[in-house]
Amino acid sequence: MKELGQLKHFLGIELSYSQEGIFLHQQKYFRDLLKNFGMLKCKTILMPIEPNSKICTHEGKDLEDAAMYQQLVGSLIYLTLTRSDISFAVGYGIMYKRGEDCTVVGYCDADYVGNHDTRRSTIGYVFMLGSGEISWCNKRQPTVSLSTTEVEYRAAALYHRLA
C-alpha cells in the first residue's frame, strides 16, 4: 500500500479542498460527456428545464442508436451525484424516451423458512422501468413466519410500502 497524498479525483468526481471544507464536482466528467456526444459548442441556459414544459411521446424522431441513448442517460444520472439541480430534468427526460415502454412494474416474492438455522424466510422485490431494473432488494425477514401465507403477506406489505 502506498500513501499517494490527498485525494483529488475518484470515479469521475473531483475533490477541491478549501478553508470552508471539501467540495465535490464533476467538471472534467461533464466536459468529457459534452465532447463524447458532440455538444461542446452548445449554448448554456440558466435552468435545466423550462417551467411547465410538456413532452409528448409522439413528438420527435425515433432513436437510431439506442445504445448511445442508454450511455447518455446513464452518464446524466451519474452526473446528478454532484448536480442535484438537474435531477428533475434528467428524470423527466428519461420518462419520455421514444421507442420503449416507460411503465413501472414491480414484482415481489418470498420463500418459506429459507434459512433452516434461523427459520426465517427470505423476501425480495424488483421494480422495473421498461425492460431495465431500477430498484431491487433481497433480504431475510426480521421475524419467523408460521406459514407460507404469512410470508407472502409480509412480502406484499413490504412491496406495497415501497410502491
Side-chain angles (χ1 to χ4, degrees):
M1 191 180 295
K2 286 184 176 180
E3 172 63 45
L4 300 175
Q6 274 190 333
L7 182 64
K8 294 188 181 354
H9 189 267
F10 184 72
L11 296 175
I13 299 174
E14 298 170 74
L15 289 86
S16 299
Y17 301 89
S18 73
Q19 294 287 62
E20 291 85 31
I22 300 171
F23 296 93
L24 304 176
H25 60 90
Q26 293 174 293
Q27 288 176 348
K28 182 181 179 325
Y29 180 81
F30 185 62
R31 199 175 308 109
D32 291 345
L33 183 64
L34 289 174
K35 182 179 169 188
N36 290 343
F37 290 97
M39 298 188 68
L40 263 177
K41 297 182 181 186
C42 66
K43 295 180 182 178
T44 60
I45 58 172
L46 294 176
M47 296 188 332
I49 192 168
E50 187 177 317
N52 302 319
S53 63
K54 302 290 183 213
I55 300 175
C56 297
T57 55
H58 64 275
E59 293 177 354
K61 60 181 181 175
D62 288 332
L63 298 170
E64 294 176 14
D65 186 7
M68 186 181 93
Y69 173 80
Q70 292 168 348
Q71 289 174 354
L72 177 61
V73 166
S75 298
L76 288 172
I77 290 172
Y78 189 69
L79 189 62
T80 62
L81 289 173
T82 58
R83 292 292 308 270
S84 58
D85 58 326
I86 65 169
S87 294
F88 177 76
V90 170
Y92 193 71
I94 292 169
M95 281 187 350
Y96 290 99
K97 61 186 174 182
R98 300 254 315 148
E100 194 173 316
D101 183 21
C102 292
T103 57
V104 175
V105 178
Y107 301 97
C108 67
D109 196 13
D111 69 348
Y112 178 60
V113 188
N115 186 313
H116 293 288
D117 295 330
T118 62
R119 309 282 304 159
R120 293 192 296 173
S121 304
T122 305
I123 57 175
Y125 66 81
V126 61
F127 288 98
M128 302 178 74
L129 176 63
S131 61
E133 299 86 10
I134 56 173
S135 178
W136 62 91
C137 177
N138 186 23
K139 65 180 186 176
R140 204 172 287 152
Q141 286 185 342
T143 58
V144 175
S145 298
L146 301 177
S147 68
T148 56
T149 306
E150 185 180 350
V151 171
E152 295 291 343
Y153 177 77
R154 288 177 191 265
L158 172 69
Y159 167 78
H160 181 70
R161 275 196 313 258
L162 298 168

